[in-house]
């Protein structure tokens, strides 16, 4: 039944399907089998593959990542001390190397109509709650890393909100990576479903203990019902030696509102794919992004925003700071279908280059097939203005501090869209620290 | 306090300052006047250390140190302050954060203890009161979207906070209507003290109605060609710069 996978990713799917969560559920076994086929038939993307033109998989393929095969249970709540954000009051769900860790999670009091927790737990307890939801938005023609995640689907985070359920405090999903003897790949699968009129804030964090080498390939599906509202902060602070892949697949019904703030600071090689689909009119999707690409670091963003129905609004606003031999890719597509009149989209990608040897490939694209729309895109690649630098220095501020202040000023527009003050402070501080250690030219 | 001797400077290969001699003692207010292109702003920029100006001859000593050998931040730490003709907008850089970074950088360089958030806010509220400024200024990004008058007032506010020994006001009157000019001038006057010197660079005499100088100098073609008391400014206002230029050429 299992086709042989011969494209370098065999080790990612080493576990026998019979040991995966929910094994024996026909619908789930089918999904995993189909995904395995997809992995097998696709082969490895090359520089000729359009979506991978600017990003090489060579570094990733040189690693022989083994699948995480056991839950890490040795961690104590105290071990999270350095990871928690002071002053952030949340419903906390912790995953360690892709596995739900109930002993580290603090779900808190949840109102009626809200379910939070681990995917495997819910698959065991109530598989029917997931049957028509899991793998629905991601679809059938899955690209390689989504298919790999689906084929190995085993554990992750789930949030299910019934109609009109509202959670006041944010949900904080902490994905913690802990180095193992040999490099491991974790493939967590997350699902967030907000029923009609439901409201939530989700803070999704990728962090590590130590600076070890590992790979995360996470997939998150989000379905927003009519009038649902989700604020979604994503903070990627993986280990400096890690590989990070993440795919977000978002579906929005009529009049729903989504704001996603994507902060990319960590990992040596990070790829983020954001795919959004409007299912009903007058929905709003706001994608904000901030990335720091330091020396020999790659930050790669792919946006695919489809306005397939009329009167929806989308914003794509990404800013990057690059230094040393840092590299970034911004490949953004906004497609407006023929019937999607009154679509309103604005895409922007601005980059601040702190060194001569940093490099960014930016490709914002609009594909417009309707005639009554408001769409724009813009991109800039610039340096720190000498005027601004001199102004700060003339006030007694050293050149390195002045540069950092200007970078933080540039980043501030995105940071301020995060949901909580404690989080904004945390991110500003980390951006400042990263810039402090940045060799300037 | 400041002694400039035989200063020559080029901008883009063109000589703008051509042997400038000038000195300022403690507590003195000097006005430098001159027509457009006479080198007034260049002189202010060379003193503050802006890039793009090449000093080819002469010297400038400030508080016993070779000013021209110092970085712009070192000059500020030593007590020099330039109020910009065109204050720079810094989008995203919060004004309070900026002011605190500036003050603490200067204190640190002088080996004095830095201010914590509470004492800093107390100080800043006090300075706002002296200058009759609204504290909404503090929450905004530095100069971003400020009106011309707000920008100039923010300059004077920084000066009040950083308490320089020598302040250079570069065409502080430009772009201001008479009411805004009065507010700015009142601020400057409130900061006059026996220990603080000022150089007021201006094209027009009207600023000097409000900020009365001890000495007036006329700059033409990169040199000071006349010096005198404040009556010199009135004479200039009456006769225009053509008179000085003609005399300069004759001399």
């Amino acid at each position: 039944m299992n086709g042989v996978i011969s494209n370098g990713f065999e080790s990612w799917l080493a576990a026998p399907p019979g040991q995966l969560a929910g094994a024996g559920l026909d619908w789930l076994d089918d999904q995993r089998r189909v995904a395995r086929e997809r992995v097998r038939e696709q082969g490895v993307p090359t520089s000729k593959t359009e979506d991978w033109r600017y990003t090489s998989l060579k570094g990733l393929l040189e690693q022989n990542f083994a699948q995480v095969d056991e839950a890490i249970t040795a961690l104590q709540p105290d071990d999270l001390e350095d990871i928690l954000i002071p002053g952030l009051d949340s419903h906390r769900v912790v995953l360690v190397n892709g596995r739900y860790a109930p002993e580290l999670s603090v779900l808190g009091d949840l109102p009626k109509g809200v379910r939070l927790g681990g995917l495997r737990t819910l698959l065991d307890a109530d598989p029917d709650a997931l049957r028509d939801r899991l793998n629905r938005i991601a679809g059938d023609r899955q690209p390689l890393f989504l298919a790999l995640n689906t084929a190995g689907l085993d554990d992750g985070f789930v949030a299910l909100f019934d109609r009109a359920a509202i959670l006041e405090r944010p949900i904080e999903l902490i994905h913690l990576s802990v180095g193992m003897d040999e490099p491991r790949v974790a493939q967590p699968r997350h699902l967030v479903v907000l029923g009609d009129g439901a409201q939530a804030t989700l803070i999704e964090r990728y962090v590590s203990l130590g600076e070890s080498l590992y790979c995360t390939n996470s997939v998150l599906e989000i379905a927003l019902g009519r009038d649902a509202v989700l604020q979604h902060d994503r903070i990627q602070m993986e280990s400096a030696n890690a590989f990070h892949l993440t795919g977000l697949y978002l579906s929005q019904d009529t009049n729903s509102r989504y704001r996603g703030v994507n902060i990319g600071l960590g990992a040596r090689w990070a790829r983020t794919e954001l795919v959004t689909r409007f299912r009903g009119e007058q929905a709003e999707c706001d994608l904000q992004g901030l990335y720091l690409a330091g020396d020999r670091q790659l930050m790669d963003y792919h946006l695919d925003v489809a306005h397939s129905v009329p009167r929806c609004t989308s914003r794509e606003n990404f800013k990057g700071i690059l230094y040393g031999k840092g590299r970034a890719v911004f490949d953004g597509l906004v497609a407006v279908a023929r019937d999607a009149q009154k679509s309103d989209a604005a895409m922007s990608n601005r980059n601040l280059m702190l060194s001569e040897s940093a490099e960014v490939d930016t490709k914002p694209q609009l594909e417009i097939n309707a005639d009554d729309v408001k769409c724009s895109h813009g991109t800039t690649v610039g340096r720190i203005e000498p005027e601004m630098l001199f102004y700060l220095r003339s006030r007694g501020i050293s050149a390195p501090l002045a540069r950092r202040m200007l970078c933080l000023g540039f980043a501030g527009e995105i940071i301020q869209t995060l949901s909580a003050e404690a989080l904004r402070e945390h991110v500003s501080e980390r951006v400042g620290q990263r810039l402090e250690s940045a060799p300037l030219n | 306090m400041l002694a400039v001797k035989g200063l020559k400077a080029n901008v883009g290969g063109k000589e703008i300052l051509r042997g400038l001699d000038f000195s300022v003692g403690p507590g003195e207010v000097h006005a430098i006047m001159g027509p457009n292109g006479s080198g007034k702003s260049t002189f202010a920029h060379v003193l503050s250390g802006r890039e793009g100006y090449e000093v080819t001859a002469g010297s400038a000593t400030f508080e016993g140190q070779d000013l021209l050998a110092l970085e712009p931040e070192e000059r500020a730490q030593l007590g020099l302050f330039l109020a910009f003709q065109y204050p720079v907008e810094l989008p995203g850089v919060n004004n309070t954060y900026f002011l605190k970074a500036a003050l603490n950088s200067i204190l640190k360089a002088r080996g004095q203890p830095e201010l914590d958030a509470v004492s800093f806010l107390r100080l800043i509220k006090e300075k706002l009161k002296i200058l009759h400024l609204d504290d909404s200024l503090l929450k905004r990004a530095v100069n971003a979207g400020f009106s011309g008058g707000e920008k100039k007032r923010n300059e004077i506010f920084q000066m009040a906070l950083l308490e320089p020994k020598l302040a250079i006001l570069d065409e502080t009157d430009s772009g201001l209507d008479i009411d805004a000019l009065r507010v700015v001038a009142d601020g400057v006057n409130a900061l006059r003290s026996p220990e603080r010197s000022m150089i007021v660079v201006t094209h027009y005499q009207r600023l000097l109605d409000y900020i009365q100088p001890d000495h007036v100098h006329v700059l033409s073609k990169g040199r000071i060609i006349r010096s005198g008391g404040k009556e010199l400014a009135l004479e200039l206002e009456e006769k225009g710069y053509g008179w000085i230029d003609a005399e300069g050429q004759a001399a």
Side-chain angles (χ1 to χ4, degrees), chain A residues 386-407:
Chain A
E387 292 281 300
M388 293 183 177
L389 197 58
F390 174 67
Y391 189 74
L392 290 169
R393 295 178 72 191
S394 78
R395 297 305 183 243
I397 297 169
S398 71
L401 177 57
R403 277 194 200 95
R404 271 206 308 283
M405 288 173 69
L406 292 171
C407 289

Side-chain angles (χ1 to χ4, degrees), chain A residues 386-401 404-406 408-410 412-413, chain B residues 48-50 71-73 76-77 81-82 84 88-90 92-93 97-98 102 105-106 143 155 158:
Chain A
E387 292 281 300
M388 293 183 177
L389 197 58
F390 174 67
Y391 189 74
L392 290 169
R393 295 178 72 191
S394 78
R395 297 305 183 243
I397 297 169
S398 71
L401 177 57
R404 271 206 308 283
M405 288 173 69
L406 292 171
L408 278 168
F410 177 79
E413 180 193 346
Chain B
S48 60
R50 193 191 197 108
E71 296 293 335
E73 57 268 38
Q77 290 158 3
F81 180 89
L82 172 69
F84 282 57
V88 181
E89 299 198 9
L90 306 177
V93 181
Y97 170 56
F98 158 66
S105 293
I106 288 174
N143 297 325
E155 294 293 289
Q158 292 168 36

Side-chain angles (χ1 to χ4, degrees), chain B residues 111-131:
Chain B
Q112 292 167 2
E114 297 178 41
L115 293 189
D116 60 25
V118 176
S119 21
F120 176 74
L121 276 178
R122 200 176 298 138
L123 176 68
I124 218 167
K125 293 251 154 81
E126 192 183 301
K127 300 288 181 186
L128 281 170
K129 226 175 275 167
I130 297 171
L131 296 177

